[in-house]
Amino acid sequence: MCKDNSNQKRLKLKMSAPHDSPADPNPAFTWGLSSNMSDIQKAMALLITSFSKYAGKEGDKNTLSKEELKELLQNEFGEMVCKSNDKEAIDRIFRDLDTNRSNSVDFSEFVKLVCCLTQMCHEYFTCKK
């Protein structure tokens, strides 16, 4: 999906930072989340920050384990996605997101969930008008 290295290099220039430094564990603020960023850029930085906040607590910092995903869903989405004590729903969400069957959810798989939920919210609110 993100194969264009020139775009990645430009992005790194704008957002260059030691985002895993212990002094500032929040990549969005390390990257300079500021008023001159567009709303979309802020949303992107916050997605990365939210994922990074939960990923790696049990190992790989680039993926979410089932327990890390559960914590992220509970804390960041509340009951928008599922009841926090519904183990079956958590298992189903994890299985559906883990499309490569790695027994973890990477950032690409996580973003698909966010996109799907965003589309559903958009449809809900535009149909209410």
Side-chain angles (χ1 to χ4, degrees):
M1 183 173 175
C2 296
K3 302 290 184 209
D4 184 359
N5 288 338
S6 62
N7 284 339
Q8 289 177 354
K9 287 176 186 172
R10 279 195 295 272
L11 184 62
K12 283 181 184 177
L13 288 175
K14 286 186 172 189
M15 299 174 84
S16 62
H19 64 272
D20 52 359
S21 71
D24 189 358
N26 188 336
F29 294 104
T30 304
W31 291 340
L33 185 60
S34 66
S35 60
N36 65 350
M37 291 175 74
S38 73
D39 289 344
I40 296 292
Q41 290 171 326
K42 290 175 188 174
M44 290 167 53
L46 290 171
L47 277 175
I48 294 165
T49 300
S50 296
F51 181 86
S52 299
K53 183 170 142 183
Y54 297 93
K57 290 182 176 182
E58 296 181 3
D60 187 352
K61 68 179 183 172
N62 297 309
T63 62
L64 296 165
S65 67
K66 187 183 292 185
E67 201 54 40
E68 292 166 340
L69 177 67
K70 177 183 173 184
E71 185 180 356
L72 183 150
L73 292 174
Q74 289 172 341
N75 294 339
E76 303 297 332
F77 292 100
E79 296 200 359
M80 178 183 196
V81 177
C82 65
K83 302 259 187 237
S84 60
N85 60 353
D86 189 347
K87 184 183 176 340
E88 193 174 303
I90 299 285
D91 289 345
R92 188 175 55 252
I93 292 168
F94 185 81
R95 247 188 342 270
D96 290 347
L97 290 177
D98 184 19
T99 56
N100 65 1
R101 301 297 177 238
S102 63
N103 206 31
S104 61
V105 173
D106 62 27
F107 187 74
S108 296
E109 293 165 329
F110 166 71
V111 168
K112 289 175 188 169
L113 170 69
V114 175
C115 287
C116 181
L117 290 171
T118 304
Q119 287 175 320
M120 289 169 45
C121 288
H122 178 261
E123 289 170 13
Y124 175 80
F125 289 115
T126 55
C127 289
K128 284 193 96 166
K129 289 182 179 179

